Amino acid sequence: MKSYLKISAAAAVLIALGACASQPEAPPPVEPAPPVEQPAPPPPPPPPPVAEQPTGPVPGSLDDFRVNVGERVYFDLNEYRLDSDDQEILKLQAAWLQSYPAVRIMVAGNCDERGTREYNLALGERRASVVKDYLVSLGVDPSRIDTISYGKERPIAAGSDENAWALNRNGFTQIVSGTTS
Amino acid sequence: MTRLLLALVMAFTAAIGLAPTASAELKVLVEGSGNFQPTPLAIPDFEVRGGTNTDLARQIADVVRNDLESTGLFEMQNPASFIQKDLSIDVQPRFADWKIIKTDGLVVGAFEELPDGKIAVSFRLWDVYAGEVMRINGQPGRRLTTTPDNWRRIAHKIADSIYTRLTGEDPYFDSRIVYIAETGPKLNRVKRLAIMDSDGANQQYLTPGTNTVLTPRFSPSAQEITYMSYEGGRPRVYLFNIETGRQELLGNFPGMTFAPRFSRDGESVLLTQAEHGNSDLYIMNLQTRQSRRLTDHPAIDTSPSMSPDGRSIVFTSDRGGSPQLYIMNTDGSPRTCPSGGRDVACRITFNKGQYSTPVWSPRGDLVAFTKQLGGKFYIGVIGTDGTGERLLTEAYLDEGPDWSPNGRVIVYFRESRPGAGPQLWSVDLSGRNERRLQTQTEASDPAWSPLLE
């Protein structure tokens, strides 16, 4: 709606400019002014300045975390190191968690299907632990973070190809409690 | 328990076929050579002597035939080719009639319904070319009784007797397989503990599927399973009693516990605990409930399996950079490694690829494993000194071997191609006889029971 109004306004200006350019003669006589109308009631006051976007997630909510922070980091094949992309996401997670100190999280370590079950359980535990340690290094209280390994038991992509495997090798920060809604 | 009450074995008093043992007795070699040929056996339907239940008599013979054929060592002769129709367990067969259709071994059985409601099956095994009965435990035949609902056990015991008599190997048909029954879409899988007879009959679900359960393993000495469950949202190792359905948390470990396996004497459970991201091996005594840490290494150590003599443990570790198999002494003392030097854990896999899920053979000489190499998975075996690696199977995913009680057959699960659901398979140690085990649902993580009592 907003953008529509903007476009209309811009069009009006262009038309006005065009009129100026092509019609230098004197304007025709104006019609009599319309009767004065009652002014509309003033609009409600704007919301308090908390950077709230009327259509975005409520701050401190699950959606806020999911949309504005990011809940998963992705690992390379057979790896549990955090690359710079992962670290950026975890920095956002840590800052968010500092803003909402009542929130508790469970970090799940996940693996792709191209490993054996028991080794993957161990590898998932390593991945979850690496994520937890990084968040703790950024100041998040370790008592707020639990970890769990699902090995290859909780894929998020159903395919059996490189893309699906890459998505399924992840550390998943799940909010357990303490959100605002 | 009454179900499992299987009757005694009674010797025949009839004195037939007592001729001295011929020099060229029928003998089936399980290893076979390059031009392996299965041994032709004839097992006609059993004669119904008491009662009228010909269907049951035929079903019992069917199970015997199916068990023996599933080994890949025997070929069942087509009944349409049989010449002699008047077989009786009390009379010597006309060997010429069986030689002419090139039968090496002949099984003659009789079925009876007893006055007390039980059933009895008697059988004799004949060596057609030697022209004499093959004695079983010194007797010229066997007679087994049980309740009618337990008839399959009689059939498996008969098949076991014949298999053992002809191959010299220990029996394994009269046993069960526990596994994980899988249903639902890949992204929301339901996993239940399930059990069936070794031939796939009598499938039952033991857990409702509310919690994901993984990696069941049979006790070698009790009707008990150890497995991992996500009960209460925490992955931990449990004991499960098959007869009572009772589940019990094993130990009080602060971290995740997984990859359990009974020791060979059934008195302990080996498992893995992960704490602060690091997985190490533990052993817990089931009597005292005392646990002892076996490894303390920053690498992943998991999937422990004990040697039959209890002295050594084979396990998976990535301490060398990738998952490989290692052997340690159960008491933690250093050992002399086959690759040289002394260490608390000796690596035994040095070929290309990743190795995991080692399981020590009940005979003690081999370790079965899963190998991953070049986008494929393999089930293989290797000597405990790291020599003689042999790959038995290959697929998109072949994983999780476990041994039959006699150490001749390996059961595992397979995803035959990308996106295919898991199914149970078995393969003979020769690698010759790969077979699918039918299950009602998709299935994984099979584990073999010991021979039933």
Side-chain angles (χ1 to χ4, degrees), chain B residues 415-434:
Chain B
E415 292 173 11
S416 54
R417 59 190 155 73
Q423 299 173 329
L424 304 190
W425 285 73
S426 69
V427 66
D428 185 83
L429 196 45
S430 69
R432 212 169 34 219
N433 184 37
E434 235 179 296

CSV table of all heavy atoms in Angstrom, one decimal, chain B residues 415-434:
chain,number,residue,atom,x,y,z
B,415,GLU,N,20.6,-50.3,2.5
B,415,GLU,CA,19.8,-49.4,1.6
B,415,GLU,C,20.4,-49.6,0.2
B,415,GLU,O,21.5,-49.2,0.0
B,415,GLU,CB,19.9,-47.9,2.1
B,415,GLU,CG,19.2,-47.7,3.5
B,415,GLU,CD,19.4,-46.3,4.1
B,415,GLU,OE1,19.9,-45.5,3.3
B,415,GLU,OE2,19.1,-46.2,5.2
B,416,SER,N,19.6,-50.2,-0.6
B,416,SER,CA,20.2,-50.7,-1.9
B,416,SER,C,20.6,-49.6,-2.8
B,416,SER,O,21.5,-49.8,-3.7
B,416,SER,CB,19.2,-51.7,-2.6
B,416,SER,OG,18.0,-51.0,-2.7
B,417,ARG,N,19.9,-48.4,-2.7
B,417,ARG,CA,20.2,-47.3,-3.6
B,417,ARG,C,19.8,-46.0,-2.9
B,417,ARG,O,19.1,-46.1,-1.9
B,417,ARG,CB,19.5,-47.5,-5.0
B,417,ARG,CG,18.0,-47.5,-4.8
B,417,ARG,CD,17.2,-47.9,-6.0
B,417,ARG,NE,16.0,-48.4,-5.6
B,417,ARG,CZ,15.0,-47.7,-5.0
B,417,ARG,NH1,15.1,-46.4,-4.9
B,417,ARG,NH2,13.8,-48.3,-4.7
B,418,PRO,N,20.3,-44.9,-3.4
B,418,PRO,CA,19.9,-43.6,-2.7
B,418,PRO,C,18.4,-43.5,-2.6
B,418,PRO,O,17.7,-43.7,-3.5
B,418,PRO,CB,20.5,-42.5,-3.6
B,418,PRO,CG,21.6,-43.2,-4.4
B,418,PRO,CD,21.2,-44.6,-4.5
B,419,GLY,N,18.0,-43.2,-1.4
B,419,GLY,CA,16.5,-43.0,-1.1
B,419,GLY,C,15.8,-44.3,-0.8
B,419,GLY,O,14.6,-44.2,-0.4
B,420,ALA,N,16.4,-45.5,-1.0
B,420,ALA,CA,15.7,-46.7,-0.7
B,420,ALA,C,15.7,-46.9,0.8
B,420,ALA,O,16.7,-46.6,1.5
B,420,ALA,CB,16.4,-47.9,-1.4
B,421,GLY,N,14.6,-47.4,1.4
B,421,GLY,CA,14.5,-47.7,2.8
B,421,GLY,C,15.4,-48.9,3.2
B,421,GLY,O,15.7,-49.7,2.3
B,422,PRO,N,15.7,-49.0,4.5
B,422,PRO,CA,16.6,-50.1,4.9
B,422,PRO,C,15.9,-51.4,5.0
B,422,PRO,O,14.7,-51.4,5.3
B,422,PRO,CB,17.1,-49.6,6.3
B,422,PRO,CG,16.0,-48.7,6.8
B,422,PRO,CD,15.4,-48.1,5.6
B,423,GLN,N,16.6,-52.5,4.7
B,423,GLN,CA,16.1,-53.8,4.8
B,423,GLN,C,17.1,-54.7,5.4
B,423,GLN,O,18.3,-54.4,5.3
B,423,GLN,CB,15.8,-54.4,3.4
B,423,GLN,CG,14.7,-53.6,2.6
B,423,GLN,CD,14.5,-54.0,1.2
B,423,GLN,OE1,15.5,-54.5,0.6
B,423,GLN,NE2,13.3,-53.9,0.7
B,424,LEU,N,16.7,-55.8,6.0
B,424,LEU,CA,17.6,-56.8,6.6
B,424,LEU,C,18.1,-57.8,5.6
B,424,LEU,O,17.4,-58.3,4.8
B,424,LEU,CB,17.0,-57.5,7.8
B,424,LEU,CG,16.4,-56.6,8.9
B,424,LEU,CD1,16.0,-57.5,10.1
B,424,LEU,CD2,17.3,-55.5,9.3
B,425,TRP,N,19.4,-58.0,5.7
B,425,TRP,CA,20.1,-59.0,4.8
B,425,TRP,C,21.0,-59.9,5.6
B,425,TRP,O,21.4,-59.6,6.7
B,425,TRP,CB,20.9,-58.3,3.7
B,425,TRP,CG,20.1,-57.7,2.6
B,425,TRP,CD1,19.3,-56.5,2.7
B,425,TRP,CD2,19.9,-58.1,1.3
B,425,TRP,NE1,18.7,-56.3,1.5
B,425,TRP,CE2,19.0,-57.2,0.6
B,425,TRP,CE3,20.4,-59.2,0.6
B,425,TRP,CZ2,18.7,-57.4,-0.7
B,425,TRP,CZ3,20.1,-59.3,-0.8
B,425,TRP,CH2,19.2,-58.4,-1.4
B,426,SER,N,21.3,-61.1,5.0
B,426,SER,CA,22.3,-61.9,5.6
B,426,SER,C,23.3,-62.4,4.5
B,426,SER,O,22.9,-62.4,3.4
B,426,SER,CB,21.7,-63.1,6.4
B,426,SER,OG,21.1,-64.0,5.4
B,427,VAL,N,24.5,-62.7,5.0
B,427,VAL,CA,25.5,-63.2,4.0
B,427,VAL,C,26.3,-64.3,4.8
B,427,VAL,O,26.6,-64.1,5.9
B,427,VAL,CB,26.4,-62.1,3.5
B,427,VAL,CG1,27.2,-61.5,4.6
B,427,VAL,CG2,27.2,-62.6,2.3
B,428,ASP,N,26.6,-65.3,4.0
B,428,ASP,CA,27.4,-66.4,4.6
B,428,ASP,C,28.9,-65.9,4.6
B,428,ASP,O,29.3,-65.0,3.9
B,428,ASP,CB,27.4,-67.6,3.7
B,428,ASP,CG,28.1,-68.8,4.2
B,428,ASP,OD1,27.6,-69.5,5.0
B,428,ASP,OD2,29.3,-69.0,3.8
B,429,LEU,N,29.7,-66.4,5.5
B,429,LEU,CA,31.0,-66.0,5.7
B,429,LEU,C,31.8,-66.2,4.4
B,429,LEU,O,32.9,-65.5,4.2
B,429,LEU,CB,31.7,-66.8,6.8
B,429,LEU,CG,32.9,-66.3,7.5
B,429,LEU,CD1,32.9,-64.8,7.7
B,429,LEU,CD2,33.2,-67.0,8.8
B,430,SER,N,31.4,-67.1,3.5
B,430,SER,CA,32.1,-67.2,2.2
B,430,SER,C,31.8,-66.1,1.3
B,430,SER,O,32.4,-65.9,0.3
B,430,SER,CB,31.6,-68.5,1.6
B,430,SER,OG,30.3,-68.4,1.2
B,431,GLY,N,30.7,-65.3,1.6
B,431,GLY,CA,30.3,-64.2,0.8
B,431,GLY,C,29.5,-64.6,-0.4
B,431,GLY,O,29.0,-63.8,-1.2
B,432,ARG,N,29.1,-65.9,-0.4
B,432,ARG,CA,28.5,-66.5,-1.6
B,432,ARG,C,27.0,-66.4,-1.5
B,432,ARG,O,26.3,-66.4,-2.5
B,432,ARG,CB,28.8,-68.0,-1.6
B,432,ARG,CG,29.0,-68.7,-2.9
B,432,ARG,CD,29.6,-70.1,-2.7
B,432,ARG,NE,29.2,-70.7,-1.5
B,432,ARG,CZ,30.0,-71.4,-0.7
B,432,ARG,NH1,31.3,-71.6,-1.1
B,432,ARG,NH2,29.6,-72.0,0.4
B,433,ASN,N,26.5,-66.3,-0.3
B,433,ASN,CA,25.0,-66.5,-0.1
B,433,ASN,C,24.4,-65.3,0.5
B,433,ASN,O,24.0,-65.3,1.7
B,433,ASN,CB,24.8,-67.8,0.7
B,433,ASN,CG,23.4,-68.1,0.9
B,433,ASN,OD1,22.6,-68.0,0.0
B,433,ASN,ND2,23.0,-68.6,2.1
B,434,GLU,N,24.1,-64.3,-0.3
B,434,GLU,CA,23.5,-63.0,0.2
B,434,GLU,C,22.0,-63.2,0.0
B,434,GLU,O,21.5,-63.5,-1.0
B,434,GLU,CB,24.0,-61.9,-0.7
B,434,GLU,CG,24.6,-60.7,0.0
B,434,GLU,CD,25.0,-59.7,-0.9
B,434,GLU,OE1,25.9,-59.9,-1.8
B,434,GLU,OE2,24.5,-58.6,-0.8
